[in-house]
């Protein structure tokens, strides 16, 4: 069975007050073209369809058009959708009964009553049946009343409890759609600026992947960078577009999964999505940055850091003559660095890890990877024990 795995469309999102309407329409159009070419048996959209809980009329129109274009592909491709933390369940589930008649299945809320269960969609291929379980974003409070007192105390116990009551037959092929923050024994996936705000401090929303690893494939949403968690069959597909400068080096794509029989390993392929505007950084002297402008890159969304020691005359205006979409303008020179130094002893300083992150970002113009952060953390721990 061939599966398209999508998530975090964030329709209606702006990038520093720049509209992303045309970029999102172009990405969704490419997805439709890829669906026509590869003919998946099902398309999964794993949460955060919209960027806000109250989407604009324009955002509704964009998503409606996307679903309409998918529905026009013959034979028709079933589309399975779950709500993310950005989505309003009531708004997302509007007309869901009608949509199911067109093979569009929406699950926007976790079970709220004892007689309610996860939405389950069964599809078949030459190897038999595949059961898709739709688990929308949930908080412990959404489901605590369904279980004995003390059974649900955090996000992980909530997800485990909800899945347990489904009595899933893992002798069959099963796929889970989920929009939560999954970790591998406390090791977090690589996150970026665009989703840091929704990840709780202290790991309160962490769910260990052991809760879901029995599924044949776990289609995740929530994290914007494509990556697996512990094993290839547990995967964040990432966003179809770059939604922050910290995603500069992401390779955005549709994740295509091929599921064979129960004994076969899954096959995973990335189908690239080409943006009409890139998101990237420019650093250097003003004249150097202006000199790097070309017809191909001048329309990109750019974050600029000027290193001129003598402040140029009206730098933003000069940059805007050659670059269309400037996200931010920073200055990094001897003067600005001295302003950041503490004026007196006892002023609060950055913690060692925070300071090293900032230093690495400044030197490499990209964030540390999860593996690099782990190495630095081990070194810092060793140093602290030495004292």
């Amino acid at each position: 069975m061939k599966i398209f795995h999508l998530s975090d469309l964030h329709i209606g999102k702006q990038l520093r007050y720049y509209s992303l309407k045309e970029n999102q329409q172009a990405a969704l159009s490419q997805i439709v073209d890829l669906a026509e070419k590869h003919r998946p048996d099902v398309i999964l959209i794993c949460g955060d369809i919209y960027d806000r809980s109250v989407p604009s009329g324009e955002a509704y129109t964009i998503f409606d058009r996307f679903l309409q274009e998918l529905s026009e592909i013959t034979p028709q491709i079933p589309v399975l959708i779950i709500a993310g933390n950005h989505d309003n369940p009531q708004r997302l589930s509007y007309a869901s009964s009608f949509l199911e008649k067109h093979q569009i299945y929406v699950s926007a809320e976790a079970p709220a009553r004892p007689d309610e269960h996860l939405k389950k969609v069964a599809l078949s291929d030459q190897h038999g049946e595949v059961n898709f379980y739709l688990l929308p974003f949930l908080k412990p409070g959404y489901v605590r009343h369904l279980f004995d007192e003390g059974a649900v105390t955090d996000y992980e116990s909530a997800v485990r409890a909800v899945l347990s009551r489904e009595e899933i037959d893992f002798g069959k092929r099963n796929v889970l759609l989920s929009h939560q923050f999954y970790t591998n024994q406390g090791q977090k996936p690589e996150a970026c600026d665009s989703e840091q705000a929704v990840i709780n401090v202290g790991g309160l929303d962490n769910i260990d992947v052991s809760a879901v690893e029995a599924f044949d494939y776990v289609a995740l949403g929530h994290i914007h960078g494509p990556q697996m968690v512990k094993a290839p069959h547990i995967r964040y597909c990432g966003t179809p577009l770059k939604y922050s400068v910290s995603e500069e080096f992401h390779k955005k794509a549709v994740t295509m999964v091929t599921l064979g029989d129960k004994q076969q390993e899954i096959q995973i392929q990335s189908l690239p999505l080409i943006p009409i505007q890139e998101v990237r950084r420019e650093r250097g002297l003003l004249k150097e940055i202006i000199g790097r402008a070309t017809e191909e890159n001048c329309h990109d969304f750019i974050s600029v850091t000027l290193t001129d020691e003598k402040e140029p005359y009206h730098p933003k205006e000069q940059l805007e003559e050659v670059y269309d979409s400037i996200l931010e303008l920073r200055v990094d020179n001897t003067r600005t660095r001295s302003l950041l130094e503490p004026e007196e002893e006892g002023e609060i300083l950055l913690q060692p890890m925070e300071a090293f992150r900032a230093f690495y970002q400044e030197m490499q113009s990209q964030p540390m990877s999860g593996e690099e952060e782990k190495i630095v953390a081990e070194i810092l721990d060793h140093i602290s024990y030495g004292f």
Side-chain angles (χ1 to χ4, degrees), residues 85-117:
N85 56 293
H86 279 250
D87 297 312
N88 181 301
Q90 289 75 33
R91 294 176 184 272
L92 188 62
S93 60
Y94 176 74
S96 58
S97 297
F98 173 79
L99 292 174
E100 285 196 12
K101 296 178 181 179
H102 298 272
Q103 296 195 67
I104 298 172
Y105 302 87
V106 179
S107 180
E109 295 181 274
R113 301 193 308 267
D115 61 329
E116 291 181 341
H117 288 267

PDB file of all heavy atoms in Angstrom, residues 85-117:
ATOM      1  N   ASN A  85      -2.573  20.830  17.304  1.00  0.00           N
ATOM      2  CA  ASN A  85      -2.778  21.782  18.399  1.00  0.00           C
ATOM      3  C   ASN A  85      -3.164  23.176  17.902  1.00  0.00           C
ATOM      4  O   ASN A  85      -3.736  23.969  18.655  1.00  0.00           O
ATOM      5  CB  ASN A  85      -1.523  21.868  19.273  1.00  0.00           C
ATOM      6  CG  ASN A  85      -0.284  22.224  18.485  1.00  0.00           C
ATOM      7  OD1 ASN A  85       0.179  21.436  17.657  1.00  0.00           O
ATOM      8  ND2 ASN A  85       0.275  23.400  18.726  1.00  0.00           N
ATOM      9  N   HIS A  86      -2.886  23.488  16.646  1.00  0.00           N
ATOM     10  CA  HIS A  86      -3.277  24.788  16.091  1.00  0.00           C
ATOM     11  C   HIS A  86      -4.726  24.794  15.591  1.00  0.00           C
ATOM     12  O   HIS A  86      -5.281  25.863  15.344  1.00  0.00           O
ATOM     13  CB  HIS A  86      -2.355  25.171  14.923  1.00  0.00           C
ATOM     14  CG  HIS A  86      -1.046  25.753  15.346  1.00  0.00           C
ATOM     15  ND1 HIS A  86      -0.707  27.073  15.168  1.00  0.00           N
ATOM     16  CD2 HIS A  86       0.016  25.188  15.960  1.00  0.00           C
ATOM     17  CE1 HIS A  86       0.504  27.294  15.640  1.00  0.00           C
ATOM     18  NE2 HIS A  86       0.975  26.154  16.116  1.00  0.00           N
ATOM     19  N   ASP A  87      -5.310  23.628  15.410  1.00  0.00           N
ATOM     20  CA  ASP A  87      -6.629  23.535  14.786  1.00  0.00           C
ATOM     21  C   ASP A  87      -7.753  23.642  15.815  1.00  0.00           C
ATOM     22  O   ASP A  87      -7.629  23.175  16.948  1.00  0.00           O
ATOM     23  CB  ASP A  87      -6.764  22.210  14.027  1.00  0.00           C
ATOM     24  CG  ASP A  87      -5.773  22.091  12.889  1.00  0.00           C
ATOM     25  OD1 ASP A  87      -5.664  23.055  12.106  1.00  0.00           O
ATOM     26  OD2 ASP A  87      -5.104  21.044  12.792  1.00  0.00           O
ATOM     27  N   ASN A  88      -8.850  24.247  15.382  1.00  0.00           N
ATOM     28  CA  ASN A  88     -10.069  24.281  16.189  1.00  0.00           C
ATOM     29  C   ASN A  88     -10.895  23.045  15.848  1.00  0.00           C
ATOM     30  O   ASN A  88     -11.342  22.902  14.703  1.00  0.00           O
ATOM     31  CB  ASN A  88     -10.860  25.555  15.881  1.00  0.00           C
ATOM     32  CG  ASN A  88     -12.120  25.670  16.707  1.00  0.00           C
ATOM     33  OD1 ASN A  88     -13.002  24.812  16.653  1.00  0.00           O
ATOM     34  ND2 ASN A  88     -12.217  26.742  17.476  1.00  0.00           N
ATOM     35  N   PRO A  89     -11.098  22.111  16.795  1.00  0.00           N
ATOM     36  CA  PRO A  89     -11.780  20.852  16.471  1.00  0.00           C
ATOM     37  C   PRO A  89     -13.157  21.041  15.853  1.00  0.00           C
ATOM     38  O   PRO A  89     -13.514  20.341  14.897  1.00  0.00           O
ATOM     39  CB  PRO A  89     -11.865  20.143  17.833  1.00  0.00           C
ATOM     40  CG  PRO A  89     -10.738  20.708  18.619  1.00  0.00           C
ATOM     41  CD  PRO A  89     -10.636  22.143  18.196  1.00  0.00           C
ATOM     42  N   GLN A  90     -13.932  21.973  16.394  1.00  0.00           N
ATOM     43  CA  GLN A  90     -15.285  22.169  15.875  1.00  0.00           C
ATOM     44  C   GLN A  90     -15.264  22.681  14.440  1.00  0.00           C
ATOM     45  O   GLN A  90     -16.038  22.222  13.589  1.00  0.00           O
ATOM     46  CB  GLN A  90     -16.072  23.142  16.774  1.00  0.00           C
ATOM     47  CG  GLN A  90     -16.452  22.575  18.133  1.00  0.00           C
ATOM     48  CD  GLN A  90     -15.275  22.495  19.086  1.00  0.00           C
ATOM     49  OE1 GLN A  90     -14.369  23.337  19.045  1.00  0.00           O
ATOM     50  NE2 GLN A  90     -15.262  21.476  19.936  1.00  0.00           N
ATOM     51  N   ARG A  91     -14.381  23.604  14.162  1.00  0.00           N
ATOM     52  CA  ARG A  91     -14.304  24.149  12.807  1.00  0.00           C
ATOM     53  C   ARG A  91     -13.757  23.117  11.820  1.00  0.00           C
ATOM     54  O   ARG A  91     -14.233  23.017  10.688  1.00  0.00           O
ATOM     55  CB  ARG A  91     -13.437  25.414  12.794  1.00  0.00           C
ATOM     56  CG  ARG A  91     -14.045  26.578  13.571  1.00  0.00           C
ATOM     57  CD  ARG A  91     -13.097  27.769  13.619  1.00  0.00           C
ATOM     58  NE  ARG A  91     -13.644  28.828  14.450  1.00  0.00           N
ATOM     59  CZ  ARG A  91     -14.457  29.779  14.025  1.00  0.00           C
ATOM     60  NH1 ARG A  91     -14.817  29.795  12.747  1.00  0.00           N
ATOM     61  NH2 ARG A  91     -14.915  30.702  14.840  1.00  0.00           N
ATOM     62  N   LEU A  92     -12.761  22.347  12.264  1.00  0.00           N
ATOM     63  CA  LEU A  92     -12.161  21.374  11.357  1.00  0.00           C
ATOM     64  C   LEU A  92     -13.130  20.240  11.034  1.00  0.00           C
ATOM     65  O   LEU A  92     -13.128  19.703   9.928  1.00  0.00           O
ATOM     66  CB  LEU A  92     -10.878  20.805  11.968  1.00  0.00           C
ATOM     67  CG  LEU A  92     -10.045  19.908  11.054  1.00  0.00           C
ATOM     68  CD1 LEU A  92      -9.549  20.681   9.829  1.00  0.00           C
ATOM     69  CD2 LEU A  92      -8.864  19.307  11.804  1.00  0.00           C
ATOM     70  N   SER A  93     -13.959  19.871  11.993  1.00  0.00           N
ATOM     71  CA  SER A  93     -14.868  18.740  11.787  1.00  0.00           C
ATOM     72  C   SER A  93     -16.171  19.136  11.106  1.00  0.00           C
ATOM     73  O   SER A  93     -17.037  18.283  10.864  1.00  0.00           O
ATOM     74  CB  SER A  93     -15.186  18.072  13.130  1.00  0.00           C
ATOM     75  OG  SER A  93     -15.812  18.977  14.018  1.00  0.00           O
ATOM     76  N   TYR A  94     -16.332  20.417  10.782  1.00  0.00           N
ATOM     77  CA  TYR A  94     -17.566  20.867  10.119  1.00  0.00           C
ATOM     78  C   TYR A  94     -17.776  20.105   8.804  1.00  0.00           C
ATOM     79  O   TYR A  94     -16.847  19.949   8.011  1.00  0.00           O
ATOM     80  CB  TYR A  94     -17.491  22.368   9.840  1.00  0.00           C
ATOM     81  CG  TYR A  94     -18.680  22.902   9.081  1.00  0.00           C
ATOM     82  CD1 TYR A  94     -19.911  23.056   9.701  1.00  0.00           C
ATOM     83  CD2 TYR A  94     -18.571  23.233   7.736  1.00  0.00           C
ATOM     84  CE1 TYR A  94     -21.014  23.536   9.001  1.00  0.00           C
ATOM     85  CE2 TYR A  94     -19.657  23.720   7.023  1.00  0.00           C
ATOM     86  CZ  TYR A  94     -20.873  23.865   7.668  1.00  0.00           C
ATOM     87  OH  TYR A  94     -21.969  24.332   6.969  1.00  0.00           O
ATOM     88  N   ALA A  95     -18.955  19.593   8.617  1.00  0.00           N
ATOM     89  CA  ALA A  95     -19.350  18.855   7.401  1.00  0.00           C
ATOM     90  C   ALA A  95     -18.579  17.556   7.230  1.00  0.00           C
ATOM     91  O   ALA A  95     -18.467  17.035   6.121  1.00  0.00           O
ATOM     92  CB  ALA A  95     -19.191  19.737   6.161  1.00  0.00           C
ATOM     93  N   SER A  96     -18.061  17.000   8.329  1.00  0.00           N
ATOM     94  CA  SER A  96     -17.263  15.776   8.220  1.00  0.00           C
ATOM     95  C   SER A  96     -18.086  14.594   7.703  1.00  0.00           C
ATOM     96  O   SER A  96     -17.563  13.735   6.984  1.00  0.00           O
ATOM     97  CB  SER A  96     -16.624  15.433   9.566  1.00  0.00           C
ATOM     98  OG  SER A  96     -17.608  15.277  10.573  1.00  0.00           O
ATOM     99  N   SER A  97     -19.372  14.534   8.064  1.00  0.00           N
ATOM    100  CA  SER A  97     -20.221  13.440   7.573  1.00  0.00           C
ATOM    101  C   SER A  97     -20.365  13.506   6.058  1.00  0.00           C
ATOM    102  O   SER A  97     -20.327  12.478   5.364  1.00  0.00           O
ATOM    103  CB  SER A  97     -21.599  13.499   8.237  1.00  0.00           C
ATOM    104  OG  SER A  97     -21.483  13.315   9.632  1.00  0.00           O
ATOM    105  N   PHE A  98     -20.512  14.712   5.543  1.00  0.00           N
ATOM    106  CA  PHE A  98     -20.603  14.898   4.097  1.00  0.00           C
ATOM    107  C   PHE A  98     -19.285  14.529   3.425  1.00  0.00           C
ATOM    108  O   PHE A  98     -19.255  13.858   2.379  1.00  0.00           O
ATOM    109  CB  PHE A  98     -20.970  16.348   3.786  1.00  0.00           C
ATOM    110  CG  PHE A  98     -20.915  16.688   2.322  1.00  0.00           C
ATOM    111  CD1 PHE A  98     -21.946  16.322   1.466  1.00  0.00           C
ATOM    112  CD2 PHE A  98     -19.822  17.365   1.792  1.00  0.00           C
ATOM    113  CE1 PHE A  98     -21.891  16.629   0.115  1.00  0.00           C
ATOM    114  CE2 PHE A  98     -19.767  17.682   0.449  1.00  0.00           C
ATOM    115  CZ  PHE A  98     -20.800  17.308  -0.400  1.00  0.00           C
ATOM    116  N   LEU A  99     -18.172  14.950   4.049  1.00  0.00           N
ATOM    117  CA  LEU A  99     -16.858  14.683   3.465  1.00  0.00           C
ATOM    118  C   LEU A  99     -16.576  13.189   3.371  1.00  0.00           C
ATOM    119  O   LEU A  99     -15.933  12.726   2.419  1.00  0.00           O
ATOM    120  CB  LEU A  99     -15.771  15.383   4.281  1.00  0.00           C
ATOM    121  CG  LEU A  99     -15.768  16.912   4.232  1.00  0.00           C
ATOM    122  CD1 LEU A  99     -14.741  17.474   5.202  1.00  0.00           C
ATOM    123  CD2 LEU A  99     -15.482  17.409   2.822  1.00  0.00           C
ATOM    124  N   GLU A 100     -17.064  12.417   4.343  1.00  0.00           N
ATOM    125  CA  GLU A 100     -16.801  10.973   4.317  1.00  0.00           C
ATOM    126  C   GLU A 100     -17.427  10.299   3.099  1.00  0.00           C
ATOM    127  O   GLU A 100     -16.925   9.276   2.631  1.00  0.00           O
ATOM    128  CB  GLU A 100     -17.307  10.320   5.606  1.00  0.00           C
ATOM    129  CG  GLU A 100     -16.406  10.602   6.792  1.00  0.00           C
ATOM    130  CD  GLU A 100     -16.662   9.678   7.967  1.00  0.00           C
ATOM    131  OE1 GLU A 100     -17.374   8.664   7.792  1.00  0.00           O
ATOM    132  OE2 GLU A 100     -16.144   9.962   9.067  1.00  0.00           O
ATOM    133  N   LYS A 101     -18.503  10.871   2.594  1.00  0.00           N
ATOM    134  CA  LYS A 101     -19.113  10.329   1.378  1.00  0.00           C
ATOM    135  C   LYS A 101     -18.189  10.493   0.182  1.00  0.00           C
ATOM    136  O   LYS A 101     -18.364   9.825  -0.844  1.00  0.00           O
ATOM    137  CB  LYS A 101     -20.449  11.011   1.110  1.00  0.00           C
ATOM    138  CG  LYS A 101     -21.497  10.742   2.195  1.00  0.00           C
ATOM    139  CD  LYS A 101     -22.787  11.471   1.926  1.00  0.00           C
ATOM    140  CE  LYS A 101     -23.811  11.206   3.021  1.00  0.00           C
ATOM    141  NZ  LYS A 101     -25.084  11.939   2.802  1.00  0.00           N
ATOM    142  N   HIS A 102     -17.211  11.391   0.323  1.00  0.00           N
ATOM    143  CA  HIS A 102     -16.227  11.616  -0.737  1.00  0.00           C
ATOM    144  C   HIS A 102     -14.856  11.090  -0.319  1.00  0.00           C
ATOM    145  O   HIS A 102     -13.822  11.544  -0.838  1.00  0.00           O
ATOM    146  CB  HIS A 102     -16.156  13.112  -1.064  1.00  0.00           C
ATOM    147  CG  HIS A 102     -17.450  13.671  -1.584  1.00  0.00           C
ATOM    148  ND1 HIS A 102     -17.777  13.665  -2.915  1.00  0.00           N
ATOM    149  CD2 HIS A 102     -18.510  14.205  -0.932  1.00  0.00           C
ATOM    150  CE1 HIS A 102     -18.980  14.200  -3.079  1.00  0.00           C
ATOM    151  NE2 HIS A 102     -19.451  14.539  -1.892  1.00  0.00           N
ATOM    152  N   GLN A 103     -14.851  10.157   0.623  1.00  0.00           N
ATOM    153  CA  GLN A 103     -13.640   9.487   1.110  1.00  0.00           C
ATOM    154  C   GLN A 103     -12.642  10.449   1.744  1.00  0.00           C
ATOM    155  O   GLN A 103     -11.422  10.268   1.646  1.00  0.00           O
ATOM    156  CB  GLN A 103     -12.969   8.680  -0.006  1.00  0.00           C
ATOM    157  CG  GLN A 103     -13.823   7.528  -0.535  1.00  0.00           C
ATOM    158  CD  GLN A 103     -13.007   6.556  -1.356  1.00  0.00           C
ATOM    159  OE1 GLN A 103     -12.130   5.871  -0.837  1.00  0.00           O
ATOM    160  NE2 GLN A 103     -13.288   6.499  -2.653  1.00  0.00           N
ATOM    161  N   ILE A 104     -13.149  11.491   2.411  1.00  0.00           N
ATOM    162  CA  ILE A 104     -12.314  12.393   3.204  1.00  0.00           C
ATOM    163  C   ILE A 104     -12.732  12.205   4.660  1.00  0.00           C
ATOM    164  O   ILE A 104     -13.855  12.546   5.042  1.00  0.00           O
ATOM    165  CB  ILE A 104     -12.481  13.858   2.772  1.00  0.00           C
ATOM    166  CG1 ILE A 104     -12.045  14.029   1.306  1.00  0.00           C
ATOM    167  CG2 ILE A 104     -11.679  14.795   3.674  1.00  0.00           C
ATOM    168  CD1 ILE A 104     -12.350  15.393   0.717  1.00  0.00           C
ATOM    169  N   TYR A 105     -11.837  11.646   5.465  1.00  0.00           N
ATOM    170  CA  TYR A 105     -12.165  11.265   6.837  1.00  0.00           C
ATOM    171  C   TYR A 105     -11.449  12.205   7.804  1.00  0.00           C
ATOM    172  O   TYR A 105     -10.223  12.338   7.756  1.00  0.00           O
ATOM    173  CB  TYR A 105     -11.748   9.817   7.099  1.00  0.00           C
ATOM    174  CG  TYR A 105     -12.395   8.828   6.154  1.00  0.00           C
ATOM    175  CD1 TYR A 105     -11.799   8.533   4.915  1.00  0.00           C
ATOM    176  CD2 TYR A 105     -13.593   8.202   6.477  1.00  0.00           C
ATOM    177  CE1 TYR A 105     -12.391   7.630   4.037  1.00  0.00           C
ATOM    178  CE2 TYR A 105     -14.187   7.292   5.601  1.00  0.00           C
ATOM    179  CZ  TYR A 105     -13.580   7.014   4.388  1.00  0.00           C
ATOM    180  OH  TYR A 105     -14.167   6.120   3.526  1.00  0.00           O
ATOM    181  N   VAL A 106     -12.222  12.850   8.668  1.00  0.00           N
ATOM    182  CA  VAL A 106     -11.671  13.837   9.597  1.00  0.00           C
ATOM    183  C   VAL A 106     -11.893  13.371  11.033  1.00  0.00           C
ATOM    184  O   VAL A 106     -13.011  13.002  11.411  1.00  0.00           O
ATOM    185  CB  VAL A 106     -12.334  15.219   9.393  1.00  0.00           C
ATOM    186  CG1 VAL A 106     -11.759  16.232  10.379  1.00  0.00           C
ATOM    187  CG2 VAL A 106     -12.149  15.706   7.959  1.00  0.00           C
ATOM    188  N   SER A 107     -10.835  13.415  11.836  1.00  0.00           N
ATOM    189  CA  SER A 107     -10.952  13.173  13.272  1.00  0.00           C
ATOM    190  C   SER A 107     -10.355  14.383  13.984  1.00  0.00           C
ATOM    191  O   SER A 107      -9.149  14.604  13.936  1.00  0.00           O
ATOM    192  CB  SER A 107     -10.208  11.900  13.685  1.00  0.00           C
ATOM    193  OG  SER A 107     -10.332  11.693  15.077  1.00  0.00           O
ATOM    194  N   ALA A 108     -11.224  15.152  14.630  1.00  0.00           N
ATOM    195  CA  ALA A 108     -10.794  16.420  15.213  1.00  0.00           C
ATOM    196  C   ALA A 108     -10.719  16.396  16.733  1.00  0.00           C
ATOM    197  O   ALA A 108     -10.081  17.259  17.333  1.00  0.00           O
ATOM    198  CB  ALA A 108     -11.733  17.547  14.773  1.00  0.00           C
ATOM    199  N   GLU A 109     -11.373  15.425  17.383  1.00  0.00           N
ATOM    200  CA  GLU A 109     -11.399  15.395  18.847  1.00  0.00           C
ATOM    201  C   GLU A 109     -11.167  13.982  19.362  1.00  0.00           C
ATOM    202  O   GLU A 109     -11.627  13.004  18.760  1.00  0.00           O
ATOM    203  CB  GLU A 109     -12.730  15.914  19.374  1.00  0.00           C
ATOM    204  CG  GLU A 109     -12.985  17.379  19.073  1.00  0.00           C
ATOM    205  CD  GLU A 109     -14.304  17.867  19.641  1.00  0.00           C
ATOM    206  OE1 GLU A 109     -15.330  17.698  18.964  1.00  0.00           O
ATOM    207  OE2 GLU A 109     -14.298  18.407  20.766  1.00  0.00           O
ATOM    208  N   ALA A 110     -10.489  13.884  20.484  1.00  0.00           N
ATOM    209  CA  ALA A 110     -10.300  12.586  21.141  1.00  0.00           C
ATOM    210  C   ALA A 110     -11.638  12.103  21.689  1.00  0.00           C
ATOM    211  O   ALA A 110     -12.569  12.900  21.880  1.00  0.00           O
ATOM    212  CB  ALA A 110      -9.288  12.732  22.280  1.00  0.00           C
ATOM    213  N   PRO A 111     -11.795  10.808  21.929  1.00  0.00           N
ATOM    214  CA  PRO A 111     -13.047  10.295  22.500  1.00  0.00           C
ATOM    215  C   PRO A 111     -13.406  11.043  23.782  1.00  0.00           C
ATOM    216  O   PRO A 111     -12.543  11.265  24.646  1.00  0.00           O
ATOM    217  CB  PRO A 111     -12.724   8.828  22.785  1.00  0.00           C
ATOM    218  CG  PRO A 111     -11.625   8.490  21.831  1.00  0.00           C
ATOM    219  CD  PRO A 111     -10.812   9.734  21.688  1.00  0.00           C
ATOM    220  N   ALA A 112     -14.671  11.435  23.893  1.00  0.00           N
ATOM    221  CA  ALA A 112     -15.122  12.195  25.069  1.00  0.00           C
ATOM    222  C   ALA A 112     -16.113  11.414  25.924  1.00  0.00           C
ATOM    223  O   ALA A 112     -16.330  11.763  27.086  1.00  0.00           O
ATOM    224  CB  ALA A 112     -15.749  13.518  24.621  1.00  0.00           C
ATOM    225  N   ARG A 113     -16.720  10.369  25.359  1.00  0.00           N
ATOM    226  CA  ARG A 113     -17.704   9.570  26.098  1.00  0.00           C
ATOM    227  C   ARG A 113     -17.269   8.107  26.101  1.00  0.00           C
ATOM    228  O   ARG A 113     -16.535   7.669  25.206  1.00  0.00           O
ATOM    229  CB  ARG A 113     -19.091   9.699  25.464  1.00  0.00           C
ATOM    230  CG  ARG A 113     -19.642  11.112  25.405  1.00  0.00           C
ATOM    231  CD  ARG A 113     -21.151  11.072  25.065  1.00  0.00           C
ATOM    232  NE  ARG A 113     -21.430  10.283  23.876  1.00  0.00           N
ATOM    233  CZ  ARG A 113     -21.507  10.781  22.655  1.00  0.00           C
ATOM    234  NH1 ARG A 113     -21.317  12.074  22.464  1.00  0.00           N
ATOM    235  NH2 ARG A 113     -21.773   9.994  21.622  1.00  0.00           N
ATOM    236  N   PRO A 114     -17.746   7.330  27.065  1.00  0.00           N
ATOM    237  CA  PRO A 114     -17.353   5.919  27.137  1.00  0.00           C
ATOM    238  C   PRO A 114     -17.672   5.128  25.874  1.00  0.00           C
ATOM    239  O   PRO A 114     -16.978   4.157  25.558  1.00  0.00           O
ATOM    240  CB  PRO A 114     -18.154   5.399  28.337  1.00  0.00           C
ATOM    241  CG  PRO A 114     -18.351   6.599  29.197  1.00  0.00           C
ATOM    242  CD  PRO A 114     -18.541   7.737  28.247  1.00  0.00           C
ATOM    243  N   ASP A 115     -18.705   5.532  25.142  1.00  0.00           N
ATOM    244  CA  ASP A 115     -19.082   4.788  23.941  1.00  0.00           C
ATOM    245  C   ASP A 115     -18.350   5.285  22.693  1.00  0.00           C
ATOM    246  O   ASP A 115     -18.566   4.772  21.595  1.00  0.00           O
ATOM    247  CB  ASP A 115     -20.598   4.880  23.715  1.00  0.00           C
ATOM    248  CG  ASP A 115     -21.067   6.321  23.501  1.00  0.00           C
ATOM    249  OD1 ASP A 115     -20.446   7.241  24.075  1.00  0.00           O
ATOM    250  OD2 ASP A 115     -22.052   6.516  22.767  1.00  0.00           O
ATOM    251  N   GLU A 116     -17.491   6.278  22.840  1.00  0.00           N
ATOM    252  CA  GLU A 116     -16.744   6.812  21.705  1.00  0.00           C
ATOM    253  C   GLU A 116     -15.352   6.182  21.631  1.00  0.00           C
ATOM    254  O   GLU A 116     -14.730   5.893  22.660  1.00  0.00           O
ATOM    255  CB  GLU A 116     -16.598   8.333  21.800  1.00  0.00           C
ATOM    256  CG  GLU A 116     -17.897   9.088  21.615  1.00  0.00           C
ATOM    257  CD  GLU A 116     -17.703  10.584  21.684  1.00  0.00           C
ATOM    258  OE1 GLU A 116     -16.673  11.042  22.219  1.00  0.00           O
ATOM    259  OE2 GLU A 116     -18.600  11.305  21.217  1.00  0.00           O
ATOM    260  N   HIS A 117     -14.874   6.002  20.402  1.00  0.00           N
ATOM    261  CA  HIS A 117     -13.544   5.440  20.180  1.00  0.00           C
ATOM    262  C   HIS A 117     -12.837   6.235  19.087  1.00  0.00           C
ATOM    263  O   HIS A 117     -13.434   7.114  18.447  1.00  0.00           O
ATOM    264  CB  HIS A 117     -13.649   3.966  19.780  1.00  0.00           C
ATOM    265  CG  HIS A 117     -14.055   3.078  20.915  1.00  0.00           C
ATOM    266  ND1 HIS A 117     -13.154   2.430  21.714  1.00  0.00           N
ATOM    267  CD2 HIS A 117     -15.282   2.759  21.400  1.00  0.00           C
ATOM    268  CE1 HIS A 117     -13.788   1.736  22.638  1.00  0.00           C
ATOM    269  NE2 HIS A 117     -15.087   1.912  22.470  1.00  0.00           N
TER     270      HIS A 117
END
